[in-house]
Amino acid sequence: MTSSSEGAPLFAVVMAGGSGTRFWPLSRRSRPKQLLPFAGGRSLLAATVGRLAPLVAPERTLVVTSAAVRSAVREELPQLPAENILAEPEGRDTAACIGWVAWRLARTSPSAIMVVVPADHLIPDGSALRSALSAAAATAYARGGLVTLGLRPTRPETGFGYVEVGEAVGTAGAHRVHAVKRFVEKPDRATAQQFLDAGSFRWNSGMFAWTVKAIEAAIREHLPELASGLDLLMATAETDGEAEALRRHYPSLQRISVDFGVMEKAAPVWAVSVEFEWSDVGSWGGLAEALPGSGAGVSMGDVAALDAERSVLVSDGPLVAAVGVRDLVVVATRDAVLVVPKDQVQRVKELVELLRAAGREELL
Amino acid sequence: MTSSSEGAPLFAVVMAGGSGTRFWPLSRRSRPKQLLPFAGGRSLLAATVGRLAPLVAPERTLVVTSAAVRSAVREELPQLPAENILAEPEGRDTAACIGWVAWRLARTSPSAIMVVVPADHLIPDGSALRSALSAAAATAYARGGLVTLGLRPTRPETGFGYVEVGEAVGTAGAHRVHAVKRFVEKPDRATAQQFLDAGSFRWNSGMFAWTVKAIEAAIREHLPELASGLDLLMATAETDGEAEALRRHYPSLQRISVDFGVMEKAAPVWAVSVEFEWSDVGSWGGLAEALPGSGAGVSMGDVAALDAERSVLVSDGPLVAAVGVRDLVVVATRDAVLVVPKDQVQRVKELVELLRAAGREELL
């Protein structure tokens, strides 16, 4: 920890609740994206927790996931105490997830600082991430308010949200700290180019830091309904036991993202300006950009390719043998094979819906 | 049987020796093309034998296959006596295969007529085929010499060999009989168009009829080396037993096709002119033309397709889920998945070689 936050215990909160279908057929209900081996053979989740380890001890690393995959997550993270893996009975978006952890920490470690990271990002340079999170934690401690990691754009990306920042108000470690002026939804191409040229915009990374007190206060102010729900949940947990209280009250918590429900309304919000290679691997197509690959594209598992170009070839079972394919995604598992052109990967969701409608639950 | 061949027993010889790799990964050493379920769920072989059944009794239907797949062939054809399934220790092309059967029949049924058909053709109209074979057998009996079924061309096909025929010399059943003037290798497109326009060319179907005496005489005349090998094989079989004689001598038989080694040299050769839907299903691409399909293409097995066009989607195990694919071949088995554009299916052979070189014998 940096000197400015001495005495305030630092907790890492890893949000691992996603159940996305965009990586079907490799991703399943029982193995969502964050458990897929996209980080050089390790799961995204294991890589994420591994990156945090030099900064935050296992006892202070909390993973929030879904009840459906809790045991798979435990197997993936044997170094964490079992009680640090928190299972939501159902996903209620990020504000509820973060609020739940904050309310719990408010009882056991009220002076804590939380850094919050998604489980499914690819960040090759763990050291750069830790430096950034450390600076964000120091800023949260020193300045109060809420802190977001703002990535300097390197291209006119239309797939991310942005934050507009003011002049730097100071530094934390090697990083500049800015006040956030506004949050901006995913822009069109021209706007993204303007943002890149202006120099005063950052990619909204979805990684945050704040004191438990600050996030609790912000939720009480901006999401009073969620705050009431969390109060009820915690009070009931004292009498019914936590599992029963969760089952009864968690599914009723207000469903909203922390960005929309809290960050866009709160003040002050600080952006710590950071630069490192980062991708959120949103789809099979995104994987091709996120992973190192040759002109042939990306191969994972047992793949034999002849003259493949710019393709994503993934095997989790049968040999994938491809000849002369271009800009194609092929993903083969023991029971299902997906074939889709790279520019149509978003349609995998349609396909999954089709299978659900056809009662092919065993494949989902 | 037609009246002209009364008294001469009619035998059907089904050549089922192919071990082609062009249908990999569905075809394997243990399951070559003729055992694949391309005939409406039945194997090509079972469909072929089934088409012949109303013309030739099971006791007179002989299937020549390879030792490697003999037991699979027996399972496929439970109606045939076990001894009617003849296994070559190794493939020596069609002249040796046909010669072997002829030499055997010369002992047991020297007055027999043989009709010879490949096991791997798709012929929807079995009745038309039987009428054609019956006419060919009658011609072989009445005129002597060798008889080939000549299919009237319906398009300027460059993938088949042709025979040029003279004026009709008579009829057999409803079919005209011509003397064959010459055999022609696969032509280029312009030549194929000329053949189509001329009216005096027929597709060389690879289906034949002859008396045992005629084919034996032709082999002795035009392939004396093969004839000597067959004499040795049969003589040795009397002392060593057939299995041992086959192992010792069959692999040394002269390797040549019956077309090149016999038909192109012999005289007279008759063509019985026939017309029926016929395809030899040479590759995954050919399957799309040979099988009924919609604009989406051809699907076999567990396939879920969204906006597929002109594609061949085959599952023999895992679900094949395809979105937005065009002119693509996807074949999935339990242990291997092939993906190749339709216009590059001939490269499957390269892929199989690559796997062999890599020691992936379990996949071949």
Side-chain angles (χ1 to χ4, degrees), chain A residues 24 302 304-307 317-326 328 330 332-341 344 347-348 350-351 354-355 360 363, chain B residues 24 302 304-307 317-326 328 330 332-341 344 347-348 350-351 354-355 360 363:
Chain A
W24 186 89
D302 193 8
L306 274 176
D307 297 333
L319 170 74
V320 170
V323 183
V325 297
R326 306 269 177 279
L328 195 70
V330 180
T333 69
R334 253 162 267 281
D335 58 1
V337 177
L338 170 72
V339 185
V340 59
Q344 294 187 55
R347 300 190 64 193
V348 172
E350 277 177 67
L351 195 62
L354 190 83
L355 293 174
R360 303 296 297 269
L363 297 174
Chain B
W24 186 88
D302 193 8
L306 274 177
D307 296 332
L319 170 75
V320 169
V323 184
V325 297
R326 306 270 176 278
L328 195 70
V330 180
T333 68
R334 255 162 266 282
D335 57 3
V337 177
L338 170 71
V339 185
V340 59
Q344 294 187 55
R347 300 191 64 193
V348 172
E350 276 178 68
L351 195 63
L354 190 84
L355 294 174
R360 302 296 298 270
L363 296 175

Side-chain angles (χ1 to χ4, degrees), chain A residues 61-83:
Chain A
T61 300
L62 306 171
V63 176
V64 188
T65 187
S66 68
V69 296
R70 184 185 189 163
S71 63
V73 166
R74 281 212 54 192
E75 279 179 38
E76 198 68 16
L77 302 171
Q79 74 274 36
L80 295 198
E83 65 270 21

Side-chain angles (χ1 to χ4, degrees), chain B residues 80-124:
Chain B
L80 294 198
E83 64 271 22
N84 285 24
I85 295 167
L86 306 173
E88 302 173 296
E90 70 172 62
R92 301 299 295 170
D93 216 329
T94 50
C97 165
I98 287 167
W100 182 32
V101 178
W103 259 239
R104 288 171 54 104
L105 286 175
R107 297 192 164 184
T108 57
S109 305
S111 65
I113 304 172
M114 299 161 63
V115 293
V116 179
V117 300
D120 56 1
H121 290 176
L122 262 180
I123 301 170

Side-chain angles (χ1 to χ4, degrees), chain A residues 144-193:
Chain A
L146 309 180
V147 182
T148 185
L149 292 194
L151 283 145
R152 280 183 183 280
T154 54
R155 58 182 186 272
E157 174 66 53
T158 58
F160 305 148
Y162 287 70
V163 291
E164 186 181 6
V165 300
E167 291 297 311
V169 298
T171 60
H175 302 271
R176 292 191 174 186
V177 179
H178 307 256
V180 170
K181 286 181 165 174
R182 62 179 176 124
F183 285 76
V184 191
E185 294 287 301
K186 294 174 184 176
D188 61 24
R189 176 80 186 196
T191 309
Q193 186 64 53

Side-chain angles (χ1 to χ4, degrees), chain B residues 9-17 45 48-50 52-53 56-65 70 73 77 79-87 97-109 112-119 210 212 242:
Chain B
L10 181 66
F11 282 78
V13 179
V14 178
M15 295 186 290
L45 173 62
T48 297
V49 171
L52 298 173
V56 187
E59 298 72 36
R60 291 185 179 166
T61 300
L62 305 172
V63 177
V64 188
T65 187
R70 184 186 188 162
V73 167
L77 302 171
Q79 73 274 35
L80 294 198
E83 64 271 22
N84 285 24
I85 295 167
L86 306 173
C97 165
I98 287 167
W100 182 32
V101 178
W103 259 239
R104 288 171 54 104
L105 286 175
R107 297 192 164 184
T108 57
S109 305
I113 304 172
M114 299 161 63
V115 293
V116 179
V117 300
W210 38 59
V212 167
E242 181 152 20

Side-chain angles (χ1 to χ4, degrees), chain B residues 188-246:
Chain B
D188 62 22
R189 176 81 186 194
T191 308
Q193 186 64 52
Q194 286 169 19
F195 289 177
L196 181 64
D197 297 341
S200 56
F201 288 82
R202 301 288 179 272
W203 289 337
N204 183 6
S205 67
M207 294 183 279
F208 309 107
W210 38 59
T211 63
V212 167
K213 287 187 171 63
I215 189 67
E216 183 183 348
I219 289 173
R220 288 198 186 280
E221 181 177 355
H222 302 292
L223 295 174
E225 184 191 327
L226 175 60
S228 302
L230 290 167
D231 287 339
L232 179 63
L233 174 66
M234 298 306 287
T236 317
E238 286 180 350
T239 52
D240 293 350
E242 181 152 20
E244 175 58 19
L246 276 177

